[in-house]
Amino acid sequence: MDAAVAVQGLTKHYGDLVAVGGVDFTVHAGEAFGFLGPNGAGKSTTIKMLCTLVEPTAGTAQVAGFDVVRQRDAVRRNIGLVFQDPTLDQYLTADQNLRMHAELYGVRRSALDERMSLVLDMVDLSDRRKSLVSTFSGGMKRRLEIARGLLHSPKVLFLDEPTVGLDPQTRSSIWRYIHDLREREDVTIFLTTHYMDEAENCDRIAIMDRGRIVVMDTPESLKAGVGKDRVQISTDDDQAAIISLQEKFGQSATMSEGLVTFAVANGEQFVPRLFADLGVPIRSVNVARPTLDDVFMSHTGSTIRDAEESGQNQWMRMVAQRRR
Amino acid sequence: MAVTEVQLPSLAVPGFGLRHNLRAIRVVWQREMIRFGRDRLRVITSLIQPVLFLFVLGSGLSTITTGSIGNLNLRTFMFPGALSMAVLFTAMFSAASIVWDREFGFLREMLVAPISRASIVIGKCLGGATTASLQGLLILLMAGLVGVPYSFSLFFTVLAELMLFAFTLTAFGVMTAARIEQFQAYMALNQMLLMPLFFLSGALFPLRGLPGWLHVLTRIDPLTYAVDPVRRAVFAHLDVPAATDRLLNPGVTWGSWRVPTGVELLIVAGMGIGMLMIAIWEFRKAD
Ligand SMILES: Nc1ncnc2c1ncn2[C@@H]1O[C@H](COP(=O)(O)OP(=O)(O)O)[C@@H](O)[C@H]1O
Ligand SMILES: [Mg+2]
């Protein structure tokens, strides 16, 4: 089996709303593949179709070699899942949650104890295994869910926004666990995120916007493909600088984070010309290699934050649902 | 960092047939038991209503019935009603856990597992039936307090009937809960259904000599066929004059035919299985 996940023209409509508008991609065995996109892009819906929870309107998909519509049970047996919203039983202990999962997935009892210790160790929860889940912090719950998703040795582990709602420190520790488990287990990882910086942790990413994949490649190639560096300057007169950039260099600059910002090929070589010809005193210059933010920008024409803003209503709705 | 290569044996049981689904049913049932065991408060609160019913309402009303029902205490008559009440309320409340699980996410963990939807529904029904039977058992143990003799045969007959009854009611609860997304909505629906079902079931008054419309409604109420067998079993172990028995234990009649206990139990069992099927079907349909 070479492809852990193979998807052809996968589509999901909710009434008139096109949640996922025909996506094609392949995830290779052993890869860490990420879906990156703003809220409402259709990431969760794609995952739900791959996990057999939602039936596609059109298109086909195979996970671990099985068709997600015709071979539902076979798919389910071979995947692990960590949803965006928690699915632990808060009134049970960590141990009880894992045992329950093992029963539901038919894990052999003789192997269970060892396996449980292993996955709990992996997420540093061994000392809390007898505690009720309701006493866990958000980060601990997420870690327990990851451990549970791995318990039955799935071929593909799906993680939907594994770090959403967690503080930066916990986020980075979750990533450490994910890297760790890639080294220890023979598992393919499919994850979604709307954090640009986190997507860098993947071998390959697909950038999704409004139900479509706009571009898909390794993070390095994507950034190289932008071909331009981001230049940010602060000047004595920012408005004059923007006009001057337009007139003298043909650069359309904008104000971003309080700085005059524009993109240009070979930024370092551009800076000397800028000092020579801008005509407005420059106080500071910052040249940055393209980030995934710039990749998103160059393919969709807006930053991921702007895209989220326009999808603000959806976001609010989602928050409301999560709070319920 | 040193890479530790852990060679894992394949952990999954090869066949995912009946045995696996039985395992799943058991674990779903077990979870209900663990949660019931943790929830002492619920055990107590579900006892309050039937106890109030039996000792407050029963004692209060008996002041006006003294004499008219022979030497029998009204509480004795109401005992089967109190048993049904305990089972009814607990069963419906247990079924609410499906809605609860949906709201708090755990249902999804079960829905994506490689088990049949039927296992989830059956496990839930058995779990609810067990808790409801246990509540019924607690009331049953009070038999002596209301003049019902402690007898082995009575005890086991009634307990078996309560278990059947508990299963059917949980299936009913699960069936109604299958498509409901919010706990509040389920509770509101329950409030609407429980009282009419209970009032019309013969738990409160004997089902004879009623006005025509009421007579018809009591015969339609499925609970009627669950309460009557319990009452018959209790009365069979009482020493009451024939006239009192005719008055308070008239059974359920269709026209002039008194429906035998066996048929009543079959009706209850049939309904239970029917509603279980509908619940399973609803879960299969819903994504
Ligand atoms: N069950 C549903 N019914 C109707 N619309 C839905 C449903 N689930 C998702 N959507 C809509 O589909 C779109 C994609 O949602 P989702 O896949 O959750 O996005 P993401 O995970 O990328 O934030 C959103 O506009 C969302 O409102
Ligand atoms: Mg999502």
Side-chain angles (χ1 to χ4, degrees):
Chain A
M1 189 192 71
D2 189 29
V5 181
V7 173
Q8 304 89 24
L10 201 62
T11 305
K12 181 70 194 180
H13 294 183
Y14 286 112
D16 288 341
L17 185 111
V18 181
V20 178
V23 295
D24 300 88
F25 60 89
T26 304
V27 181
H28 309 297
E31 201 176 17
F33 186 86
F35 254 31
L36 171 65
N39 279 303
K43 305 181 299 293
S44 295
T45 307
T46 307
I47 282 211
K48 284 180 196 157
M49 287 191 280
L50 296 179
C51 297
T52 75
L53 264 180
V54 165
E55 207 161 303
T57 310
T60 55
Q62 295 81 40
V63 174
F66 301 104
D67 186 276
V68 297
V69 177
R70 281 179 288 111
Q71 296 166 296
R72 254 157 87 141
D73 272 357
V75 170
R76 289 173 179 200
R77 238 172 282 159
N78 286 292
I79 59 175
L81 279 171
V82 178
F83 290 107
Q84 191 171 336
D85 304 316
T87 64
L88 295 164
D89 187 337
Q90 309 245 0
Y91 296 96
L92 299 185
T93 63
D95 250 359
Q96 284 171 327
N97 267 287
L98 292 183
R99 279 189 197 281
M100 184 104 66
H101 183 87
E103 290 295 305
L104 293 175
Y105 282 78
V107 175
R108 238 192 301 117
R109 293 213 180 91
S110 56
L112 182 58
D113 284 336
E114 197 183 332
R115 183 70 185 159
M116 268 174 57
S117 304
L118 190 88
V119 293
L120 281 169
D121 265 347
M122 204 183 284
V123 296
D124 281 335
L125 282 175
S126 295
D127 51 332
R128 295 298 301 271
R129 56 194 296 172
K130 304 279 182 218
S131 312
L132 285 182
V133 172
S134 53
T135 64
F136 282 17
S137 69
M140 289 163 76
K141 285 180 191 161
R142 198 59 58 89
R143 272 145 60 193
L144 181 59
E145 290 206 74
I146 292 174
R148 187 180 66 177
L150 286 169
L151 188 64
H152 56 285
S153 301
K155 293 210 175 81
V156 186
L157 179 66
F158 289 93
L159 302 160
D160 195 4
E161 308 256 4
T163 57
V164 80
L166 302 177
D167 59 88
Q169 207 177 340
T170 315
R171 272 168 59 182
S172 73
S173 76
I174 295 276
W175 277 106
R176 222 172 34 245
Y177 296 124
I178 294 175
H179 284 304
D180 237 34
L181 82 90
R182 286 193 63 195
E183 288 177 353
R184 292 210 222 169
E185 308 253 325
D186 185 17
V187 64
T188 306
I189 297 176
F190 184 111
L191 62 89
T192 73
T193 179
H194 67 274
Y195 297 121
M196 290 290 165
D197 48 329
E198 293 193 344
E200 310 251 3
N201 288 295
C202 301
D203 297 329
R204 277 197 309 145
I205 51 183
I207 293 186
M208 202 178 198
D209 190 36
R210 290 171 219 189
R212 293 183 187 282
I213 293 180
V214 286
V215 63
M216 179 164 52
D217 211 329
T218 62
E220 294 69 34
S221 311
L222 285 175
K223 286 182 283 187
V226 174
K228 288 180 176 173
D229 298 329
R230 181 204 291 244
V231 182
Q232 292 188 303
I233 56 176
S234 77
T235 62
D236 283 350
D237 184 347
D238 290 343
Q239 287 313 314
I242 289 175
I243 295 165
S244 172
L245 275 165
Q246 184 67 52
E247 285 172 354
K248 296 190 176 138
F249 302 98
Q251 291 288 341
S252 44
T254 53
M255 292 300 293
S256 170
E257 294 149 15
L259 298 167
V260 178
T261 306
F262 57 96
V264 64
N266 299 323
E268 282 97 340
Q269 287 159 36
F270 181 79
V271 171
R273 288 176 53 205
L274 193 65
F275 275 95
D277 297 336
L278 188 65
V280 180
I282 299 172
R283 292 190 197 142
S284 73
V285 181
N286 175 22
V287 179
R289 312 301 306 174
T291 64
L292 287 174
D293 239 322
D294 302 312
V295 176
F296 188 84
M297 176 92 162
S298 75
H299 286 278
T300 66
S302 61
T303 70
I304 200 160
R305 255 166 252 103
D306 292 340
E308 303 225 310
E309 227 106 285
S310 74
Q312 182 100 79
N313 291 340
Q314 280 160 9
W315 171 237
M316 301 285 272
R317 209 160 53 225
M318 207 179 82
V319 170
Q321 274 169 6
R322 287 172 60 94
R323 292 240 174 98
R324 229 191 29 215
Chain B
M1 200 196 316
V3 180
T4 41
E5 195 61 59
V6 182
Q7 211 53 42
L8 288 159
S10 172
L11 291 170
V13 177
F16 267 66
L18 182 65
R19 245 189 74 205
H20 174 60
N21 277 306
L22 286 176
R23 230 177 128 178
I25 291 174
R26 217 196 55 188
V27 74
V28 174
W29 174 84
Q30 249 173 9
R31 173 164 170 264
E32 298 296 311
M33 293 304 105
I34 294 173
R35 294 186 65 164
F36 181 69
R38 289 255 162 79
D39 207 351
R40 304 264 155 71
L41 190 65
R42 194 176 119 202
V43 179
I44 310 281
T45 51
S46 340
L47 275 182
I48 289 175
Q49 264 163 327
V51 166
L52 275 180
F53 172 73
L54 198 56
F55 293 101
V56 176
L57 197 62
S59 305
L61 287 179
S62 68
T63 58
I64 46 175
T65 57
T66 325
S68 63
I69 55 171
N71 59 351
L72 191 75
N73 193 302
L74 187 68
R75 285 190 299 261
T76 315
F77 166 77
M78 284 175 122
F79 190 57
L83 290 170
S84 321
M85 191 178 199
V87 172
L88 172 66
F89 283 54
T90 318
M92 294 300 271
F93 194 81
S94 303
S97 77
I98 280 220
V99 187
W100 197 261
D101 284 348
R102 190 192 298 282
E103 249 192 282
F104 289 90
F106 190 79
L107 187 66
R108 189 174 267 182
E109 154 82 354
M110 294 191 278
L111 289 180
V112 294
I115 56 174
S116 70
R117 301 276 151 111
S119 315
I120 302 173
V121 175
I122 294 172
K124 279 275 176 193
C125 284
L126 291 178
T130 311
T131 46
S133 304
L134 287 174
Q135 292 282 356
L137 177 64
L138 289 179
I139 300 291
L140 185 57
L141 292 175
M142 298 177 190
L145 299 177
V146 295
V148 176
Y150 288 112
S151 122
F152 258 115
S153 71
L154 176 62
F155 184 81
F156 285 108
T157 310
V158 171
L159 188 60
E161 285 171 353
L162 288 182
M163 281 160 71
L164 173 67
F165 187 20
F167 177 79
T168 297
L169 285 168
T170 315
F172 175 66
V174 171
M175 180 184 82
T176 54
R179 306 300 286 278
I180 295 181
E181 311 238 318
Q182 277 149 24
F183 193 67
Q184 308 287 351
Y186 177 78
M187 286 326 249
L189 182 74
N190 258 357
Q191 294 294 321
M192 204 177 71
L193 289 173
L194 277 183
M195 282 303 162
L197 283 175
F198 183 64
F199 280 13
L200 292 170
S201 68
L204 292 161
F205 47 81
L207 302 178
R208 61 180 287 284
L210 300 171
W213 62 271
L214 189 53
H215 178 90
V216 172
L217 287 180
T218 57
R219 267 47 178 187
I220 295 172
D221 183 358
L223 277 194
T224 298
Y225 303 96
V227 174
D228 193 51
V230 179
R231 174 155 303 137
R232 280 197 204 185
V234 170
F235 271 73
H237 288 78
L238 292 179
D239 188 19
V240 291
T244 310
D245 190 70
R246 265 201 308 281
L247 184 70
L248 294 178
N249 182 28
V252 179
T253 49
W254 290 346
S256 58
W257 186 52
R258 179 167 174 172
V259 186
T261 307
V263 174
E264 289 177 331
L265 294 177
L266 274 180
I267 291 175
V268 176
M271 279 189 313
I273 291 170
M275 290 187 295
L276 181 72
M277 297 297 197
I278 295 174
I280 292 172
W281 173 77
E282 280 183 314
F283 265 91
R284 287 224 173 103
K285 212 172 48 154
D287 259 327

